[in-house]
Amino acid sequence: MLTKRIKRLSPYVPGEQPQDRSYIKLNTNENPYPPTPLIEPFLKSFDIERLRLYPDPLFGTLRKAISKRYNIDISQVFVGNGSDEVLAFAFYAFFDSVRGNLIFPEFSYSFYPVYCDFYGIEYRKIPLTENFTIDINDYLVEESSCGVVFPNPNAPTGILLPLEKVTALMEHYPADRVVIIDEAYVDFGGESAISLIERFKNLLIIRTFSKSMSLAALRLGFAMGDEGLINALFAVKDSFNSYPADLIAQRIGEIAINDTAYYQAITQKIINNREFLSKALKDLGWHVLPSKANFIFAGKKGLKGEAIYKGLKEEGILVRHFNTEGIQNFVRITIGTDEEIKTLIASIQRLF
Amino acid sequence: MLTKRIKRLSPYVPGEQPQDRSYIKLNTNENPYPPTPLIEPFLKSFDIERLRLYPDPLFGTLRKAISKRYNIDISQVFVGNGSDEVLAFAFYAFFDSVRGNLIFPEFSYSFYPVYCDFYGIEYRKIPLTENFTIDINDYLVEESSCGVVFPNPNAPTGILLPLEKVTALMEHYPADRVVIIDEAYVDFGGESAISLIERFKNLLIIRTFSKSMSLAALRLGFAMGDEGLINALFAVKDSFNSYPADLIAQRIGEIAINDTAYYQAITQKIINNREFLSKALKDLGWHVLPSKANFIFAGKKGLKGEAIYKGLKEEGILVRHFNTEGIQNFVRITIGTDEEIKTLIASIQRLF
């Protein structure tokens, strides 16, 4: 009864959410701090009668708030149901294999190959350097590609590609093919490429409300780029699901995007905790990649990543392990609160 | 910069939402009554800290509530971001043109051909009878088809295909091809085909929270069918957007699905208003199709549908007109409150 196209799917597997006991959840890059307290009075005074009407399919006020926040035009902003949906729409709109494979880093967000299988887009994974960094020269080789996508900072490594390298990539990459930079983690110390979207009409930046905004429960993501790219995303949305982000989510998104002071404060705490944890692990002889995200990628010589993951799980701490050749000796640890980090360090000292 | 596949899109156009003045909105089949008042205390006491964590990608408690409500197993329930997303996933999972065109009624939900274009599925529209009803024999002709989809009650006609006809269709349609019945409007007097899903493993029923549940702002839809079909929908979801329905929407959905008494009461009011409006228009010499939905499809000899639409819009009343050969002399009127209906009738008496 199923179509042929469904048979090529190998669905994305998100981090586990076990219910058998309570865990310190350092496995899905959620924010350890609550979202802006301004959401509470909004929910308390929300007129539920409004729920009977469809939400604005153009996300007018939320897109306006985003455009103000990043000093761009509303025509350069698209909003969707989580950055995963925005990515899915973007793959449909911009990538096919007619002009070559889609290219992305070998170790990267594992949803990218899933989208490729979903749409039948051929892809090629580009190895990282031995330091796990992206070398833009590898993306500029003569062999043709239909587009580029990568997270910046990258996941699961946490390593940032500096803006000058991003600029150099854009300067040398064919102007008629789209480059997507997935800035899910950029607020934790990265430098955004937003300043480049006026200059490069083929650059699309994708963001999420799930990480730095602490709103993973709400499913809001957005894209920023030239109006031509944004219009194409709207055409895809209106051919798939015309009202993807609900009214309450849109309103809360607006409240969050406007409360920069609150978010700068919690982001700084996360950055401080990341540096504290990185130093503590290094002091214990661990190898920690230099992260600009809200997680670190770390391991210890002689220890398998799976053993770290399992040992910590027994202690009630969840971290993420990828059973993938080349990174199987690492674990990805989301930055939690001070207390969670201290508990983690104590467990690591005891176990390994 | 765009892919070839995006060039075949002709996006769905939802009913207009003009902002120039305040209108009586009888054009998008929204519910005129608010959703259950139990939502208000939920929102007032909601712990916003919970927003920092991802929602349950399996929609456990909401699917459980739906399965209890309809007396089926949780494995027979899928939830998505509006019934439009559920439909989009179902088209991907079940329809291709390898075994023939997808077939659906000529006058029907105008998103169906859009999904076909989105995925490259060929389709054939089956004419309605001269009374605008679906004749199931037209769907059982020898010519092969890869599947069937139709709304029941149909839109924009509002006409119900009785359960015995649905059963006869299922009995004669090939068991290895999927039939989707879109029951968006069934609560307004139709008889659901849920009782058939145990018997027909190829029957998928799709529902929405937007109409009878009065939650259009929230974007919740669901599907009911054999576990095999439901698992396929999950495989598509997990290859596209793994967390499509947000936590607040999931919780409100649960509250709504459990408050049957409240919803029966407002549904009965809408049914009463529908019958009142239908009779009033017939008394004025209008032709009104027999509706089991929360809208009617009506026209008057000698009047163009567009003239009715424009005349009413000037009066501050929005109804929907489809500029489509064969139905261009009708308008679709959503059933509003008693007061809205009386205002509408007064305008019609004055204008036409």
Side-chain angles (χ1 to χ4, degrees), chain B residues 123 147 235:
Chain B
Y123 60 90

Side-chain angles (χ1 to χ4, degrees), chain A residues 57-71:
Chain A
L58 296 175
F59 318 99
T61 55
L62 177 54
R63 285 168 63 223
K64 189 78 216 155
I66 292 168
S67 71
K68 249 179 91 177
R69 170 79 174 75
Y70 295 108
N71 200 23

Side-chain angles (χ1 to χ4, degrees), chain A residues 91-105:
Chain A
F91 274 52
Y92 185 98
F94 308 125
F95 301 145
D96 55 33
S97 314
V98 179
R99 293 185 289 185
N101 296 331
L102 175 66
I103 53 178
F104 48 82

Side-chain angles (χ1 to χ4, degrees), chain A residues 127-276:
Chain A
L128 297 175
T129 69
E130 59 175 14
N131 299 323
F132 293 95
T133 59
I134 289 172
D135 182 343
I136 61 155
N137 295 310
D138 298 335
Y139 294 76
L140 298 170
V141 288
E142 285 152 83
E143 200 182 331
S144 69
S145 56
C146 69
V148 176
V149 57
F150 62 92
N152 197 26
N154 195 11
T157 63
I159 296 174
L160 181 77
L161 185 70
L163 188 59
E164 67 266 23
K165 298 276 187 190
V166 173
T167 310
L169 171 67
M170 294 310 302
E171 279 166 346
H172 295 94
Y173 195 74
D176 64 344
R177 289 153 211 213
V178 173
V179 175
I180 295 180
I181 303 183
D182 181 353
E183 293 190 341
Y185 302 106
V186 79
D187 287 336
F188 301 104
E191 190 172 4
S192 175
I194 294 175
S195 58
L196 304 179
I197 65 173
E198 279 293 341
R199 185 170 160 211
F200 302 104
K201 306 292 184 205
N202 61 331
L203 172 62
L204 189 77
I205 294 169
I206 293 184
R207 294 282 190 105
T208 177
F209 280 78
S210 298
K211 312 295 185 184
S212 61
M213 297 286 202
S214 203
L215 291 170
L218 275 199
R219 321 312 310 127
L220 279 177
F222 58 107
M224 296 179 284
D226 183 65
E227 187 174 358
L229 302 184
I230 299 302
N231 287 344
L233 292 175
F234 271 108
V236 178
K237 173 186 88 70
D238 290 336
S239 303
F240 186 88
N241 185 15
S242 39
Y243 299 96
D246 75 54
L247 175 76
I248 293 179
Q250 290 189 38
R251 290 280 176 279
I252 292 179
E254 261 178 84
I255 293 167
I257 204 98
N258 287 326
D259 194 357
T260 46
Y262 174 80
Y263 282 107
Q264 273 165 6
I266 65 168
T267 297
Q268 192 55 52
K269 283 208 259 184
I270 292 167
I271 293 170
N272 297 346
N273 291 356
R274 177 184 73 210
E275 299 310 315
F276 180 83

